[in-house]
Each structure stands twice: as structure tokens, then as C-alpha cells.
Amino acid sequence: MLTNYLRVAFRQLWRNKTFSAFNIFGLATSMSVCLLVLLILFDQYGYDKFHVDSERIHRIISGDDQYEQVVPRMATAPLDLAEELRQYDAVAHSTQIIPLDRSISHEREPLALRKNGLIIEPSFFSIFTFGWTEQQGMDALGQPATVVITEATAERWFPSQEALGKQVNIYGVGDCTITGIMPTPPRRSHLQFDYLLGKATINALSTAEREAIGLAERNFRNTYRGYVYFKTVDEGSIVQLQSPLTQLAESYTAQTENRYFAFATQPLLDILPSQDLGNEIGIGTPLVIIYFVLSIGLIILLTACFNYTNLTLAKSLQRAREIGVRKVNGARRGQIVRQFLTESVVVAFLSLLVAVVLLEFLIPAFYGLHPFVEDIFYLDKPWFTYPLFFSFSLMVGLLAGALPSWSIARLQPLTALGKLQNARIFSKVGLRKALITFQFTLALICILLVILVVQQKNHVLQADLGIDINEHRSLNLFELDYEVLSQRIGQLPGVTSVAGINSVIFGGYRDTQLGYNQGGDSLRVGYLQVSANYPEHLGMEFLAGGTFPTTSSGQ
């Protein structure tokens, strides 16, 4: 029976070549966009799955505020929690992770290059499974002045010689011996690093040296410096930690004045897409972007399905005699439904072949939307995406063919022989009119959404910020002296002024508690550290008062 359905389906496609080509290409265009959306979703929801027992790995998120109704909204947490968690039976391992963004130099590359580092504990390797390329024993970071680098860094610095045993200089830490080489973290890892340092190396530093690299304060009040991860003994053990975390938050709150703490757990697999947490490690795509992309894909797909359904119903009017004759000769409703569904699925599969070809052009166009898109999204197509595409096209075929097959098959033979002129979806609404209305409504929604996004993007890029940034350029100081560098840059031709800031313009800020009314009231505010001439440098206008008073050094 299926062979007969397929024979009739291909016969209909061949007899109506132009109509079939319009149907296939129209559906393929929409399907190619949906396939792109599927790749985006696969990429964004595929992070950190390569770790062994990844479903048992979690992170502590925290919140602290002057108000009692504090909510955990920061990815960072007090580092002391890593030690606290080890006393609970539900926790198999816990570890601290502290980012250290320092420059590294080495004899083959004396110019210091900024690298992303992590300060870790030995339990890091019991939770995460990045693997090893080479190492000197299992305790590669057990001794002071040791470092583990990634394979990409080793290949760059030591392309034709052994990297183990060589020395590198980490600014603010000193000379460290390479005792291990790890594979470069996969693209779909929210933890990205170039080197790892052990606590033994940091503990060997003096207090002044630790202060210089921002590691002096290591008590429970510091909720901003590092991250706490842990692995449970099994998947169900996480519920046993809810009450202990609440008790720990209450304990921390009791030790401070006018400051409240809150802690919660976050599964490793839920870290990306981004949950809109502060102090996040790495770059993530906000969920609102994922939802928007998914909505656009669904609207385009539904519009194509309605278009296919409407065209199929219109064409079915020409097949009224065939349907009527088949019913008169004993064809049951289910057989008519299966015939039209088969034709719809065949069209969907042919559209899939065209859509896969169009997808090869869509991916480069998607990357070309913005220079940072390629850094955030990695749209590869492993083998198991093709069965997914096949299942998707089957779903589309059934979805697009369901209404025509049901509408036509339910009619009586006399109605069918009357060329379906009275087919209605409601008592007073014609089926085709309803489909056209839905199709145009969805298309209008899609167009309006795209227009709004484009206008919002243009507003963000072109809005009057109250400052002049057109002729400004930024330069990362790394560990260079600002006074010396600013003087030398100021002497270059074409440079009219030089100013300093501790962050890229609009790239983020720190916050603190600001007291006023002689300490009776307080307010949490964001702030930036700038040089005294910074407001003048950007052409800022003051509503009251003036710029900063300068010191003898002009800062």
C-alpha cells in the first residue's frame, strides 16, 4: 500500500512540475532558516556535556544585599563555601576556581601576552574531565611555582621541542615551571583558559604579592572574586543541599551587620545559555536572544506550512473527481488521509534536500551579521544532526499535510464531485480564507519583529550618548605604567589628549555601597576609576560643579 501511495505522489509531482517546484522551493527556503535555528539551539544547549557525569556537576550562585529579600543573582560565591560543602555526604567533590587574567612571557616570546588563567585546587581534576596531553605525575600543580598550559599555547611557544620542564614568567606571580599540558578546552565549554595555577603557587606568594593580583581578601564576605563548583554522589543528592545552603546563608548573615546572603545551586548544563547572572565567567548568549531566534524560526516555518496547505487545498480542487471516484469505489477516509499525507511528506523530504544546500549559504551569511557572532556561535554539523533534520522534515510534512488531508477526506462523494466549493473550517468562514488570513498574520508579525530589532540595534549604535567617541581609540595597558605610556602616546602626531579608565567604555563597572546623610542612608552605585581629565577628554557636560581636582601628577 505504501508503494502505491508513493507512486501516486511522484506521479502528481511530475504532472504538476511548476506547482511542485514552487511548493518545494518555498518550503525549502523556510526549512533552511529553521535548520539554522536548530543548529543554533544545538550549539547553545550543547555546552559542557563532554564532562563525565556532567549532570552531577553544579555551581553555587549567590546574592548579598542590604535588603532581607535578597535573591541569588551572581555566578560568583564566597570561596569558603567549597570547604563547607565537603562536610556533607551528598557532595563527592568541591573546588574553588579563581580567574587570573595576567600576562605571560617566555624566552621564545619575551613580549608579555595577556592570557586567561585559572587558580584551582586539586579537586578540579576530580570534577572536570578536560583530560591530559602530558603531565609530570598526577599532582602536576602540587608544588609552588608550577603551571599547566594548554596544548595550543604549548604548540605556539614550543613548536618543535618538549614543553615540559620549561619556564614561563607570569606577571605578578613570577617564574613557573611547566609541569603539565592539557588539551585546549573545547569550544562548547564555558570554562576557557590558557593556563592553570595551583593554590600551592599562590600560597607561596607574600601578602603584598597577593594583594597586587587581587587575592588578599579571602573571607566569606568576598562574594565577587571566585566560583565554587561541586559534584554530587548521584543525581538525586542535590535536593539534600537546599537546607544546608539556607543555613549557611543565615550563618553568614548573622556575622555581618545590615547585610544579607542567599545561596542556590545551578546545574552545570544550565549555565549556558546565559541565565542573566552577574560576574559570569566567559561569554554567553542571553536566553532572550535564544527565545527570539526560536520565535522567528517557528513563525517562518508556520507561515510556510500555511502557504503549502493553502496551495495544496487549491490544487486539490482540480483532483475532486479523482477523490470522488475513489470514494465511490470504496476508498475509506483513512486511505485518502494517508495518500495526501504521503504526498506532503514526499514534498517535505525533497524540500529538505534543497534546504540543506541553502543552509551552506546561510551559515556564512549568519556569521557575517556581526564580527562577534563567529566567536559566540559554533554551527558545526556532526552526523547525528542529519537524522535530526530528517525527523524535522517528517514533522513538517505531517504538519503541512494534516489539514488538507483531513478536510478533503471528510467530505462526502457528492461534495467531492462538486469540486469542494463548500469546504468550510467554520460555519461562516471559508477554509482557504482562514488559511490566507493566518498566513498573512504570521508574516506580518515576523516582519514587525525584524523591523523592531533592526530599529533597536540602530538606536543602540547611533543614539546620542552625550559624549564624543568617534575619534577615540582604546588600548589595553596590560601591566604597563599608565604615566609613562600616556606621555609617550601624547607625543604622537595627531593625538590631542590621553585619558585612562579601568574598563573599556560601556564594558562594565564595579559597584559599591555609598553612604550619605552622615551615614544614616546608603545606596548601591556603580563606579569607574578614571584619570582626572577623563570627563574633559570625552567632552562630558556637567549639570553642576566641575571636573576632578588634579594632583601634582595630574591624576
Side-chain angles (χ1 to χ4, degrees), residues 16 18 24 35 41 53 55 66 78 83 153 160 162 167 169 261 264 275 292 306 317 386 414 452 530:
N16 305 278
T18 303
I24 291 173
L35 294 183
L41 295 178
D53 298 323
E55 67 282 352
Q66 59 178 333
E83 184 66 33
T153 304
S160 58
E162 180 68 38
Q167 281 197 337
N169 182 272
F261 293 85
Q275 306 294 314
F292 173 78
F306 277 120
L317 299 178
Y386 292 99
L414 290 178
L452 287 174
V530 300

Side-chain angles (χ1 to χ4, degrees), residues 350-471:
L350 293 176
S351 300
L352 175 64
L353 297 178
V354 180
V356 170
V357 175
L358 294 177
L359 183 62
E360 297 301 318
F361 297 93
L362 269 181
I363 292 176
F366 177 70
Y367 284 147
L369 290 175
H370 196 280
F372 296 107
V373 170
E374 196 166 2
D375 295 332
I376 298 175
F377 298 98
Y378 181 53
L379 306 184
D380 60 340
K381 298 185 290 296
W383 66 268
F384 50 83
T385 57
Y386 292 99
L388 179 64
F389 290 171
F390 180 85
S391 302
F392 172 73
S393 65
L394 177 62
M395 181 199 71
V396 171
L398 295 176
L399 178 65
L403 187 57
S405 61
W406 174 79
S407 300
I408 295 168
R410 72 186 179 91
L411 298 175
Q412 298 301 319
L414 290 178
T415 306
L417 291 172
K419 296 187 178 181
L420 308 178
Q421 294 293 343
N422 299 318
R424 295 182 179 277
I425 190 170
F426 302 117
S427 59
K428 295 183 180 181
V429 180
L431 177 60
R432 293 186 59 200
K433 290 182 179 179
L435 290 174
I436 291 175
T437 301
F438 287 140
Q439 178 183 342
F440 276 96
T441 301
L442 289 174
L444 184 60
I445 292 174
C446 182
I447 293 172
L448 290 176
L449 283 175
V450 172
I451 291 175
L452 287 174
V453 170
V454 172
Q455 288 181 340
Q456 182 64 25
K457 184 200 72 171
N458 292 336
H459 170 73
V460 171
L461 295 178
Q462 302 173 9
D464 183 9
L465 303 175
I467 57 176
D468 179 19
I469 61 173
N470 294 326
E471 300 298 327

